[in-house]
Amino acid sequence: MDCDVVIAGAGPVGLFLACELGLAGVRTVVLERLSDPNLPTRVAGLGGRGLNIASMEAFYRRGLMDELRDSAEMWFGKPEEGRSAPAPAAGPQFRFAGHFAGIMLNGSLIDYSNAEFVEKGPAAAGCLIDLVSLEKMLARRAGDLGVSIRRGVSVTAFSQADDVTIDTSDGVVRAGWLVGCDGGRSTVRKAAGFAFPGTPPEITAYSAMVEIADPGVLKPGWNRTPTGLYVNGPGPNRVLVVEFRGPPADRDAPVTTEELQTSLRHVSGTEVTIARVFAASRFTDNARQATSYRAGRVLLAGDAAHVHSPFGGQGMNLGLGDAMNLGWKLASVIKGWTSEDLLDTYTAERHPIGAWALEWTRAQVALMRPEPHARAMGEITRDLIETRTGATYFAKRIAGVWQRYDLGPGHPLVGRSAPDLAFQDGTRLGTYLQPGRAVLFRFVDSSNHAVVEEHERFRLVHAQCVDATPVRALLIRPDGFIAWAGDEDGDGSATAFRKWLGVDVGKSLDMIAARYS
């Protein structure tokens, strides 16, 4: 074979997956149909893409936080631990913390003392980053890890048997596996015959960078009107226009100044004049999801697996979670450590998260409709968001801290993203995941320094926590989720090692330590 894995698509999801595979030493080639990633239609929009806490955990656990900070447009920083945000008598000061259907979320109301925020460590932050900067950062990391990125090359067809033979615009490539990260209109998904059910679109929307001749005509921020909604900002020159008149006739046709101005005038009810369009794109709210993310040797991730409206900023975060979940599993199968059955857990774990994202965006579109029932539901939603409990609920959902996987019976910690425990020597749990391998933590009662033992499929770490821990040991998968937690020997640790790592370790933690020491 020419390589182990071909990834179709060099967006953030494809590149993050490439980094995960490169970290594991898997021969990976990324094919990107665009020769220039800086096309205006790709960078038009309402500023940077927001990374939520779930995505920040992924970057933190791979040692990319500093580079991410350097590339970010805006860094929100970590919420103050323990802050319960008591409201002063005159009401809380407004701090923007996201939105739901254009209803602003006040960060001053959020209870950041909640454990699901506190336990995230340095990853309890957020940032805005433009698409091109993020892709450049990930492409550099992928290149450093030996990944080949070929731009201006598209997948045209493929066939699969014991491997995958891929026809491209630049010749034929043979690989063990093909992963479609090629967007909502994925060639890979269509050619492989994945079922892609969902709900049809009902909006035509424009996202653009423009020069407005008379900017004072438009109100700032989100504005609902009898004919739709428009967003003016954040910052100058950025506009979003949404009309509920069905999907655009041709999403790929260039957006003209006249077309955009006509839509903005219709929705805003003004005679606003657009002097110049720097960049503009259309989108709609088609909401569909593949019933499975795997068909033989072909897998899907990101928008290729699920599409929905961009409201709420879940799309890229959802795709990065797919890549983090899939990368180590695919690498394990390629190395022969585990059977292909491990890949079935990719759909089982990520499909419910994707289904939730579709529902989250559908609900927002429903509240945005310019009709009385939607306005009534919107007012009720606003009342809930403006309470402490409501604000915290919406913040958790937007941040992704609620996500967990059903990994079967066991300790309540199993299936959760691991808390970023602090150790007595100043290290933290998340930093031990940087090599991309599983980690077995054994918590000891006294140790000034953590002791790390390196093994091919996992790391064994003996460390003392700063605070008391509810269990004696944790087995953390390479993606940072807890595969096993317990106090006593023989209570499932060996089963977890076999299932997730393909390792037969005996029946007790002491046997694990003895065998791998």
Side-chain angles (χ1 to χ4, degrees):
M1 293 184 296
D2 298 312
C3 59
D4 296 312
V5 180
V6 165
I7 298 172
V13 176
L15 289 172
F16 194 95
L17 177 60
C19 291
E20 288 294 281
L21 294 171
L23 188 63
V26 173
R27 297 176 302 156
T28 304
V29 174
V30 180
L31 304 180
E32 170 53 53
R33 66 180 182 84
L34 296 177
S35 56
D36 181 8
N38 300 300
L39 294 176
T41 54
R42 299 190 71 240
V43 299
L46 296 178
R49 271 66 172 179
L51 293 178
N52 65 11
I53 290 177
S55 294
M56 298 295 280
E57 282 187 300
F59 283 95
Y60 167 58
R61 288 165 174 166
R62 293 300 181 259
L64 290 168
M65 285 282 280
D66 289 341
E67 194 170 355
L68 186 65
R69 183 191 292 268
D70 292 341
S71 301
E73 282 186 0
M74 184 180 299
W75 190 267
F76 294 114
K78 181 184 173 186
E80 298 171 21
E81 292 185 0
R83 183 178 63 206
S84 60
Q93 180 182 1
F94 186 84
R95 293 188 300 105
F96 177 73
H99 75 89
F100 184 81
I103 303 171
M104 299 299 115
L105 182 62
N106 186 352
S108 295
L109 288 172
I110 299 169
D111 182 6
Y112 286 114
S113 68
N114 188 282
E116 289 181 285
F117 290 115
V118 173
E119 67 185 16
K120 299 304 179 182
C127 79
L128 287 177
I129 185 168
D130 70 89
L131 187 63
V132 172
S133 294
L134 180 60
E135 289 177 354
K136 285 181 178 178
M137 184 190 84
L138 290 172
R140 285 195 301 270
R141 176 58 65 98
D144 291 343
L145 293 169
V147 173
S148 173
I149 302 173
R150 299 170 59 189
R151 299 190 182 275
V153 180
S154 58
V155 173
T156 57
F158 58 84
S159 60
Q160 58 170 316
D162 294 333
D163 57 18
V164 188
T165 302
I166 305 161
D167 296 325
T168 80
S169 57
D170 192 38
V172 176
V173 180
R174 291 181 62 238
W177 300 84
L178 171 63
V179 185
C181 299
D182 50 341
R185 289 174 280 183
S186 168
T187 298
V188 172
R189 184 189 67 237
K190 294 173 183 177
F194 283 90
F196 201 51
T199 51
E202 58 180 284
I203 68 171
T204 292
Y206 302 91
S207 180
M209 295 287 293
V210 300
E211 178 186 341
I212 298 177
D214 44 0
V217 170
L218 298 177
K219 296 179 181 179
W222 287 71
N223 300 276
R224 285 183 175 83
T225 75
T227 52
L229 69 89
Y230 72 93
V231 184
N232 181 16
N237 304 326
R238 289 169 173 163
V239 295
L240 170 70
V241 191
V242 181
E243 294 188 74
F244 286 79
R245 56 177 172 86
D250 184 357
R251 284 185 57 188
D252 296 324
V255 178
T256 66
T257 301
E258 180 181 5
E259 177 187 4
L260 182 59
Q261 179 174 275
T262 298
S263 179
L264 184 55
R265 286 182 173 183
H266 174 66
V267 171
S268 68
T270 71
E271 292 300 313
V272 63
T273 299
I274 297 178
R276 183 181 177 188
V277 176
F278 300 106
S281 63
R282 297 180 191 83
F283 67 86
T284 187
D285 62 324
N286 196 27
R288 298 185 181 277
Q289 183 180 24
T291 53
S292 174
Y293 292 178
R294 180 191 174 199
R297 291 186 168 270
V298 180
L299 299 118
L300 303 177
D303 290 349
H306 37 69
V307 295
H308 51 79
S309 82
F311 297 121
Q314 294 294 328
M316 186 173 70
N317 292 297
L318 181 62
L320 290 171
D322 293 345
M324 190 72 165
N325 187 284
L326 174 61
W328 68 274
K329 294 176 179 177
L330 185 54
S332 181
V333 170
I334 290 169
K335 290 183 174 185
W337 292 349
T338 54
S339 72
E340 292 184 15
D341 291 345
L342 182 64
L343 293 176
D344 294 335
T345 68
Y346 170 54
T347 296
E349 292 172 11
R350 293 304 299 173
H351 196 278
I353 307 294
W356 170 85
L358 265 65
E359 293 291 79
W360 187 254
T361 57
R362 285 186 182 116
Q364 293 183 73
V365 171
L367 289 183
M368 292 176 181
R369 292 176 185 143
E371 52 91 16
H373 297 87
R375 286 195 295 271
M377 286 301 299
E379 289 305 312
I380 293 173
T381 304
R382 185 185 305 277
D383 288 343
L384 293 173
I385 287 178
E386 292 178 352
T387 66
R388 182 75 39 77
T389 301
T392 303
Y393 167 83
F394 279 90
K396 286 183 178 181
R397 292 280 159 168
I398 293 170
V401 298
W402 62 276
Q403 297 177 14
R404 65 175 300 158
Y405 300 140
D406 182 3
L407 303 187
H411 194 280
L413 287 171
V414 172
R416 289 186 54 196
S417 180
D420 192 42
L421 300 174
F423 301 121
Q424 290 288 359
D425 64 354
T427 60
R428 302 189 69 99
L429 184 147
T431 61
Y432 290 97
L433 290 161
Q434 290 183 12
R437 298 199 300 278
V439 185
L440 173 62
F441 288 94
R442 299 191 77 192
F443 304 126
V444 297
D445 295 331
S446 60
S447 177
N448 292 327
H449 298 282
V451 177
V452 182
E453 300 171 11
E454 302 287 355
H455 309 288
E456 185 180 29
R457 304 189 195 185
F458 70 97
R459 311 176 90 187
L460 177 58
V461 178
H462 303 262
Q464 182 182 7
C465 289
V466 171
D467 300 315
T469 58
V471 290
R472 178 188 173 193
L474 292 174
L475 175 61
I476 314 297
R477 304 190 319 187
D479 58 357
F481 282 77
I482 299 172
W484 171 82
D487 295 309
E488 302 297 331
D489 296 338
D491 62 349
S493 57
T495 300
F497 266 85
R498 283 194 299 270
K499 177 177 181 179
W500 300 111
L501 307 182
V503 174
D504 185 3
V505 295
K507 297 182 179 180
S508 73
L509 292 179
D510 289 335
M511 290 180 69
I512 293 170
R515 179 170 180 177
Y516 289 94
S517 296

